[in-house]
Structure formats: C-alpha cells, structure tokens
Amino acid sequence: MYATLLNAEERILQGHRLSLADFSELLEQRTPERQKRLADHAVLLRKQYYGTDIFVRGLIEFSNYCKNNCLYCGIRRDARQVDRYRLSEEEILSCCRSGYELGYRTFVLQSGEDVIYTPDRMERLIRLIHETYPDCAITLSVGEYSREVYARWREVGATRYLLRHETADPAHYRRIHPPEMSFDNRMRCLRDLKELGYQVGCGMMVGSPFQTAKTLAEDLLFIQDFRPHMVGIGPFIPAQGTPFSGERAGTLDMTLYLLSIIRLIHPTVLLPATTALGTIDPRGREKGILSGANVIMPNLSPVSVREKYKLYDNKICTGEEAAECKNCLSARMESIGYHVVVSRGDYCGTENQHD
Ligand code: SAH
C-alpha cells in the first residue's frame, strides 16, 4: 500500500517520514489505546538497539548564577529569592571523583549562563577533567556561546552538548523568552555544535505556557529533520519567582506519549527519563523507560547545594548523597527489568563520525 494512504499511526509504526499534519493528528487524537500501541512499539525498538541497558549520566549542577531571564526558569536572573552558589573547580572535580567510584563514565556539567565561569575558565576545567578521567565522556549544558568557544571546548575534551531548543516555533519562542534572547541564535548554536562533531541533545518542555499541538508538531518535525543524538524532554513545572509561577504543569501522559513518538521517529536516539518526569509522578522515570527512554541522569552535586538548583518547584532527590541516588535508581530500574550499566553510553547510530 502507498504510504500516503496510511494514517499517521500506521505511518509512524512502519517507520515512514511524518509530515507536520501527521504529527498534529497524532497529538490531537491521543487515545489510551493509541498511546499503548506506540509505547509498546517504542520499547521494542529501544530494546533492538540498546537491549535492557540503562545509561546513567552523573549530573553536576555547578552554578545557579544566570545572566538570562527565561520566563519559565526558576534560576532566571530576576528570581530574587534564589540563594545563588557556584562550585569551585576542586569541588567539581571532587564530584567527578565520587561519581567515578560509583561507576559513572559520563559527567554532565550543567549551569545557568554564569559570566564568572568564562570560556577560558571552562576550557581549563574541561581539560582538567579530561586529563584526570580520559575514559569518561564530558557533556556540557551551559547555554549559548560562539562557534569559536564551542570549538575550543571540543578540542580540550568535551564531546557532548545539551542545549534544548525549547520550542521550534519562533513565535512561541518569543512568548516564553525575554526580547533580548533569540530563537535564531539558539538554532545557530545547535547547528554549530553538530558540525563541530559534538553528540548533541536538543529538546523541549512539555506543556509550557502557550504550547499547542501545532508547536509540538513543529518540535517533532524539527527533531525528525535535525536528527540529534539525544533529546531531553520533561514536563514544564511552574517555578516560584517567575512570571509563569501560576501556570499549569505539563502532564505525565503527554510526556510519556512524546517519549514514545520520539523513539519511533528516531530509533537510536539517547532519550532520558528526566528528573522533572520523576517530580510530577513518583514512578515517572520508570514509566518513561517503559515508554521508550533509555537514559537517567542522577545528581552528583553536593547535597549542600542541591536544593538551590531549582529550575522548578518541588524538585525531587535534593536531599540524597550521590551513592544513595545511584542505588535508588538502580533498584528502580531493576524493578522493571532494566539494568544500569557502567559505560560511557555512546550514541549507537551513524550520525557522529568524529568521536
Ligand atoms: N543554561 C543552560 C541549562 C538550562 S537548564 C541552557 O540554557 O541550556 C536545563 C533545562 O531545564 C532548560 O533547557 C529547560 O528546558 C528546563 N527547564 C527550565 N525551567 C523549567 C521549568 N520550570 N520546568 C521544567 N523544565 C524547566
């Protein structure tokens, strides 16, 4: 049968390329039966490429200072009640040390856009971590910089970069960001990172203010075309001290449905079941894995600062030591038949020939 005669559900299950209209149809007509069918198929595909392995990334939230003022984000510049902190190089290295002992082989350095951690200082830090742990992958998630800066960081040992595109719809982008931030620059960053040979992660919040089925369909079309190595999605959760503090959170079901769709349109993608998903449902991360995700990102930051890196309210796991976090998540994964592995957990597709 010609692909065009199939409905969107059949087309996605058979691995066809989807149009904007297909994605809109899938999103607007989400039934429990359809969601179950897509999730089952997503899990099948995920097992084909990654078995029952779960990759872990040790997340180090090293600074909550930020020069940006994103309307949704709990650590935005104007959020006055935030207790700001910045870990030193030694503290970050000590997080890596305990992470390494626990079996982590990927470190994710995430922060607000902190002007005190200049590109030069970041370069020294990346080099130091890379020299100390040459068998580990270094992932950066520190925001928008020039191509030249990304190239320097790549040269001294960073190999992955997470930069959520936030929304693929420029008009939607303008409604959730201040006027001085630019959709085009965010997209430029993603393209540069990919061209420089990073394994790149994009992504968006689910249920952010002003999001519609159409903007989400555009996100999916973007993911299908851009073919990132990773996609980070989680529900939007309102944060105190932001203009969106009174808005509704995104839902568990919509997030799970999107995880399945993303696995189906991009079978080899690295897909985390995020902390935000665990925050809106006590078994959110397990449900994420059972919808097609294959990565979890436990926290390695010192407990003394955990509570302060609050992108949104009621964030979970802020009181546990790194070892407890790891044990808890390993047990959660075992309970659903999956296994946390000691591995860098590289992308298994063919997009990145440089690493
Ligand atoms: N400063 C870095 C890291 C940002 S924090 C950067 O610009 O990339 C990581 C992600 O958290 C953001 O990209 C955003 O998608 C998500 N986030 C921020 N506020 C949130 C909220 N209120 N609810 C859920 N996710 C949020």
Side-chain angles (χ1 to χ4, degrees), residues 126-165:
I126 296 161
R127 184 183 283 120
L128 196 59
I129 299 177
H130 185 56
E131 283 168 4
T132 318
Y133 301 100
D135 54 335
C136 292
I138 301 173
T139 306
L140 302 177
S141 177
V142 297
E144 299 173 25
Y145 287 87
S146 66
R147 183 182 176 104
E148 176 262 323
V149 166
Y150 288 150
R152 275 164 52 199
W153 292 345
R154 178 78 184 82
E155 234 146 72
V156 294
T159 51
R160 304 181 189 155
Y161 208 103
L162 306 180
L163 187 79
R164 291 188 176 180
H165 63 286

Side-chain angles (χ1 to χ4, degrees), residues 72-73 110-111 143 163-164 166 186 205 235-237 311-312:
Y72 44 82
C73 184
Q110 189 178 86
S111 68
L163 187 79
R164 291 188 176 180
E166 312 295 358
R186 196 121 185 130
M205 293 173 287
F236 160 74
I237 303 174
L311 307 175
Y312 45 81

Side-chain angles (χ1 to χ4, degrees), residues 153-216:
W153 292 345
R154 178 78 184 82
E155 234 146 72
V156 294
T159 51
R160 304 181 189 155
Y161 208 103
L162 306 180
L163 187 79
R164 291 188 176 180
H165 63 286
E166 312 295 358
T167 171
D169 181 299
H172 183 214
Y173 186 93
R174 282 194 293 277
R175 299 187 80 172
I176 60 175
H177 294 95
E180 66 274 14
M181 291 186 73
S182 140
F183 173 81
D184 290 340
N185 192 53
R186 196 121 185 130
M187 289 295 177
R188 188 273 305 157
C189 289
L190 282 168
R191 279 193 305 275
D192 279 347
L193 288 162
K194 206 165 188 216
E195 284 169 20
L196 289 165
Y198 282 92
Q199 293 183 30
V200 178
C202 66
M204 66 281 181
M205 293 173 287
V206 179
S208 63
F210 311 112
Q211 187 176 65
T212 61
K214 168 146 181 298
T215 64
L216 268 179

Side-chain angles (χ1 to χ4, degrees), residues 64-77:
N64 68 354
Y65 282 90
C66 192
K67 70 176 171 64
N68 290 332
N69 222 2
C70 304
L71 273 59
Y72 44 82
C73 184
I75 62 166
R76 68 200 297 266
R77 184 183 64 226

Side-chain angles (χ1 to χ4, degrees), residues 40-106:
D40 287 349
H41 202 79
V43 166
L44 217 69
L45 269 181
R46 171 224 183 288
K47 286 202 172 159
Q48 194 175 318
Y49 290 99
Y50 295 104
T52 52
D53 287 356
I54 300 292
F55 296 147
V56 282
R57 320 301 194 191
L59 181 61
I60 304 170
E61 298 158 336
F62 67 94
S63 166
N64 68 354
Y65 282 90
C66 192
K67 70 176 171 64
N68 290 332
N69 222 2
C70 304
L71 273 59
Y72 44 82
C73 184
I75 62 166
R76 68 200 297 266
R77 184 183 64 226
D78 288 353
R80 296 276 165 239
Q81 81 290 6
V82 177
D83 189 2
R84 304 283 171 174
Y85 74 92
R86 174 183 299 120
L87 299 184
S88 65
E89 278 87 348
E90 296 72 45
E91 287 172 312
I92 297 172
L93 271 163
S94 135
C95 293
C96 294
R97 194 173 318 120
S98 45
Y100 193 87
E101 282 162 16
L102 288 168
Y104 291 99
R105 295 297 176 266
T106 294

Side-chain angles (χ1 to χ4, degrees), residues 20 23 165 168-170 213-223:
L20 193 66
F23 286 126
H165 63 286
D169 181 299
K214 168 146 181 298
T215 64
L216 268 179
E218 290 176 79
D219 288 321
L220 293 170
L221 200 64
F222 170 69
I223 291 166

